[in-house]
Amino acid sequence: MPVSKKEVSPCPIDAMLSVIDGRWKGTILWRLLDGPMRTNELRRSIPQITERMLIRHLQELVQDGILERHEEKQVPPCVRYSISSYGMTMVPVLEAICVWGRRHLETSHPSKRERLPSIT
């Protein structure tokens, strides 16, 4: 039986998937591997994402301790996001998911082979 996002599943795989579940979370994490970025920089680097969805995913990742939100006290306000040290523990997992996903896309969608980005 599926577990809602508000419930905590005792299954470790469900726990991990509940953190990275979301259409854009993987892409956000991949972009932030290069270093901290402002909200607008992230938005420009992922043209298909809406601002509302970006903010929602960023808030969820901060709440889960995967990202850190750094607010600089200036006018206009400047907010940067970076992967936390706890979030960096996910990098090997994300790399493994990327390898499997690439293999899956090559198998099931050979026409997309040239457009696949690399996580590393």
CSV table of all heavy atoms in Angstrom, one decimal, residues 67-90:
chain,number,residue,atom,x,y,z
A,67,LEU,N,19.4,20.5,1.5
A,67,LEU,CA,20.0,21.8,1.0
A,67,LEU,C,20.1,22.7,2.2
A,67,LEU,O,19.4,22.6,3.2
A,67,LEU,CB,19.1,22.4,0.0
A,67,LEU,CG,18.9,21.7,-1.4
A,67,LEU,CD1,18.1,22.6,-2.3
A,67,LEU,CD2,20.2,21.4,-2.0
A,68,GLU,N,21.0,23.7,2.1
A,68,GLU,CA,21.0,24.8,3.0
A,68,GLU,C,20.6,26.1,2.3
A,68,GLU,O,21.0,26.3,1.2
A,68,GLU,CB,22.5,25.0,3.6
A,68,GLU,CG,22.9,23.8,4.4
A,68,GLU,CD,24.3,23.9,4.9
A,68,GLU,OE1,25.1,24.7,4.4
A,68,GLU,OE2,24.6,23.2,5.8
A,69,ARG,N,19.9,26.9,3.0
A,69,ARG,CA,19.4,28.2,2.5
A,69,ARG,C,20.2,29.3,3.2
A,69,ARG,O,20.2,29.4,4.4
A,69,ARG,CB,17.9,28.4,2.8
A,69,ARG,CG,17.3,29.6,2.2
A,69,ARG,CD,15.8,29.7,2.6
A,69,ARG,NE,15.2,30.8,1.9
A,69,ARG,CZ,15.1,32.0,2.3
A,69,ARG,NH1,15.6,32.3,3.5
A,69,ARG,NH2,14.4,32.9,1.7
A,70,HIS,N,20.9,30.1,2.4
A,70,HIS,CA,21.7,31.2,2.9
A,70,HIS,C,21.1,32.5,2.5
A,70,HIS,O,21.1,32.8,1.3
A,70,HIS,CB,23.2,31.1,2.4
A,70,HIS,CG,23.8,29.7,2.6
A,70,HIS,ND1,24.4,29.3,3.7
A,70,HIS,CD2,23.8,28.7,1.7
A,70,HIS,CE1,24.8,28.1,3.6
A,70,HIS,NE2,24.5,27.6,2.4
A,71,GLU,N,20.7,33.3,3.4
A,71,GLU,CA,20.1,34.6,3.1
A,71,GLU,C,21.0,35.7,3.5
A,71,GLU,O,21.4,35.8,4.6
A,71,GLU,CB,18.7,34.8,3.8
A,71,GLU,CG,18.0,36.0,3.4
A,71,GLU,CD,16.6,36.1,4.0
A,71,GLU,OE1,16.1,35.1,4.6
A,71,GLU,OE2,16.0,37.2,3.9
A,72,GLU,N,21.4,36.5,2.5
A,72,GLU,CA,22.3,37.6,2.8
A,72,GLU,C,21.5,38.9,3.0
A,72,GLU,O,20.6,39.2,2.3
A,72,GLU,CB,23.2,37.8,1.6
A,72,GLU,CG,24.1,36.6,1.3
A,72,GLU,CD,24.9,36.7,0.0
A,72,GLU,OE1,25.0,37.8,-0.5
A,72,GLU,OE2,25.4,35.7,-0.5
A,73,LYS,N,21.8,39.5,4.1
A,73,LYS,CA,21.0,40.7,4.5
A,73,LYS,C,21.5,41.9,3.6
A,73,LYS,O,22.5,42.6,3.9
A,73,LYS,CB,21.2,41.1,6.0
A,73,LYS,CG,20.9,39.9,6.9
A,73,LYS,CD,19.4,39.7,7.0
A,73,LYS,CE,19.1,38.6,8.0
A,73,LYS,NZ,18.0,37.8,7.8
A,74,GLN,N,20.8,42.2,2.5
A,74,GLN,CA,21.1,43.3,1.7
A,74,GLN,C,19.9,43.7,0.9
A,74,GLN,O,18.9,43.0,1.0
A,74,GLN,CB,22.3,42.9,0.7
A,74,GLN,CG,21.9,41.8,-0.3
A,74,GLN,CD,23.0,41.4,-1.2
A,74,GLN,OE1,24.2,41.3,-0.7
A,74,GLN,NE2,22.8,41.2,-2.4
A,75,VAL,N,20.0,44.7,0.2
A,75,VAL,CA,18.8,45.2,-0.6
A,75,VAL,C,19.3,45.2,-2.1
A,75,VAL,O,20.3,45.8,-2.4
A,75,VAL,CB,18.4,46.6,-0.2
A,75,VAL,CG1,17.2,47.1,-1.0
A,75,VAL,CG2,18.0,46.6,1.3
A,76,PRO,N,18.6,44.5,-2.9
A,76,PRO,CA,17.5,43.5,-2.7
A,76,PRO,C,18.1,42.3,-2.0
A,76,PRO,O,19.3,42.0,-2.1
A,76,PRO,CB,17.0,43.2,-4.1
A,76,PRO,CG,18.1,43.4,-5.0
A,76,PRO,CD,18.9,44.5,-4.4
A,77,PRO,N,17.2,41.5,-1.3
A,77,PRO,CA,17.6,40.3,-0.6
A,77,PRO,C,18.3,39.3,-1.6
A,77,PRO,O,17.8,39.2,-2.7
A,77,PRO,CB,16.4,39.7,0.0
A,77,PRO,CG,15.3,40.8,-0.1
A,77,PRO,CD,15.8,41.7,-1.2
A,78,CYS,N,19.3,38.6,-1.1
A,78,CYS,CA,20.0,37.6,-1.9
A,78,CYS,C,19.9,36.3,-1.2
A,78,CYS,O,20.4,36.2,0.0
A,78,CYS,CB,21.4,38.1,-2.2
A,78,CYS,SG,22.4,36.8,-3.1
A,79,VAL,N,19.3,35.3,-1.8
A,79,VAL,CA,19.2,34.0,-1.2
A,79,VAL,C,20.0,33.0,-2.1
A,79,VAL,O,19.8,33.0,-3.3
A,79,VAL,CB,17.7,33.5,-1.1
A,79,VAL,CG1,17.7,32.1,-0.5
A,79,VAL,CG2,17.0,34.5,-0.2
A,80,ARG,N,20.9,32.2,-1.5
A,80,ARG,CA,21.6,31.2,-2.2
A,80,ARG,C,21.3,29.8,-1.6
A,80,ARG,O,21.0,29.7,-0.4
A,80,ARG,CB,23.1,31.4,-2.1
A,80,ARG,CG,23.6,32.6,-2.8
A,80,ARG,CD,25.1,32.7,-2.7
A,80,ARG,NE,25.6,34.0,-3.2
A,80,ARG,CZ,25.7,34.3,-4.5
A,80,ARG,NH1,25.4,33.4,-5.4
A,80,ARG,NH2,26.2,35.5,-4.9
A,81,TYR,N,21.3,28.8,-2.4
A,81,TYR,CA,21.1,27.5,-2.0
A,81,TYR,C,22.4,26.7,-2.2
A,81,TYR,O,23.0,26.8,-3.3
A,81,TYR,CB,19.9,26.8,-2.7
A,81,TYR,CG,18.6,27.4,-2.2
A,81,TYR,CD1,18.1,28.5,-2.9
A,81,TYR,CD2,17.9,26.9,-1.1
A,81,TYR,CE1,16.9,29.1,-2.5
A,81,TYR,CE2,16.7,27.5,-0.7
A,81,TYR,CZ,16.2,28.6,-1.4
A,81,TYR,OH,15.0,29.2,-1.0
A,82,SER,N,22.7,25.8,-1.3
A,82,SER,CA,23.8,24.9,-1.5
A,82,SER,C,23.4,23.5,-0.9
A,82,SER,O,22.5,23.4,-0.1
A,82,SER,CB,25.1,25.4,-0.8
A,82,SER,OG,24.9,25.5,0.5
A,83,ILE,N,24.2,22.5,-1.4
A,83,ILE,CA,23.9,21.2,-0.8
A,83,ILE,C,24.6,21.1,0.5
A,83,ILE,O,25.8,21.5,0.7
A,83,ILE,CB,24.5,20.1,-1.8
A,83,ILE,CG1,23.8,20.2,-3.1
A,83,ILE,CG2,24.3,18.7,-1.2
A,83,ILE,CD1,24.3,19.2,-4.2
A,84,SER,N,23.9,20.6,1.5
A,84,SER,CA,24.4,20.5,2.9
A,84,SER,C,25.4,19.3,2.9
A,84,SER,O,25.5,18.5,2.0
A,84,SER,CB,23.3,20.3,3.9
A,84,SER,OG,22.7,19.0,3.7
A,85,SER,N,26.2,19.2,4.0
A,85,SER,CA,27.1,18.1,4.2
A,85,SER,C,26.3,16.8,4.2
A,85,SER,O,26.7,15.8,3.7
A,85,SER,CB,28.0,18.3,5.4
A,85,SER,OG,27.2,18.5,6.6
A,86,TYR,N,25.1,16.9,4.9
A,86,TYR,CA,24.2,15.7,4.9
A,86,TYR,C,23.7,15.4,3.5
A,86,TYR,O,23.7,14.2,3.1
A,86,TYR,CB,23.1,16.0,5.8
A,86,TYR,CG,22.0,14.9,5.9
A,86,TYR,CD1,22.4,13.6,6.3
A,86,TYR,CD2,20.7,15.1,5.5
A,86,TYR,CE1,21.4,12.6,6.4
A,86,TYR,CE2,19.8,14.1,5.6
A,86,TYR,CZ,20.1,12.8,6.0
A,86,TYR,OH,19.2,11.8,6.1
A,87,GLY,N,23.4,16.4,2.7
A,87,GLY,CA,22.9,16.2,1.3
A,87,GLY,C,24.0,15.6,0.5
A,87,GLY,O,23.8,14.8,-0.4
A,88,MET,N,25.3,15.9,0.8
A,88,MET,CA,26.4,15.4,0.0
A,88,MET,C,26.5,13.9,0.1
A,88,MET,O,27.1,13.2,-0.7
A,88,MET,CB,27.7,16.1,0.4
A,88,MET,CG,27.8,17.5,-0.1
A,88,MET,SD,27.6,17.7,-1.9
A,88,MET,CE,29.2,17.2,-2.5
A,89,THR,N,26.0,13.3,1.2
A,89,THR,CA,26.0,11.9,1.4
A,89,THR,C,25.1,11.2,0.4
A,89,THR,O,25.3,10.0,0.2
A,89,THR,CB,25.6,11.5,2.8
A,89,THR,OG1,24.2,11.8,3.0
A,89,THR,CG2,26.5,12.1,3.9
A,90,MET,N,24.3,11.9,-0.3
A,90,MET,CA,23.4,11.4,-1.3
A,90,MET,C,24.1,11.3,-2.7
A,90,MET,O,23.6,10.6,-3.6
A,90,MET,CB,22.1,12.2,-1.5
A,90,MET,CG,21.2,12.1,-0.4
A,90,MET,SD,19.7,13.1,-0.7
A,90,MET,CE,19.0,12.2,-2.0
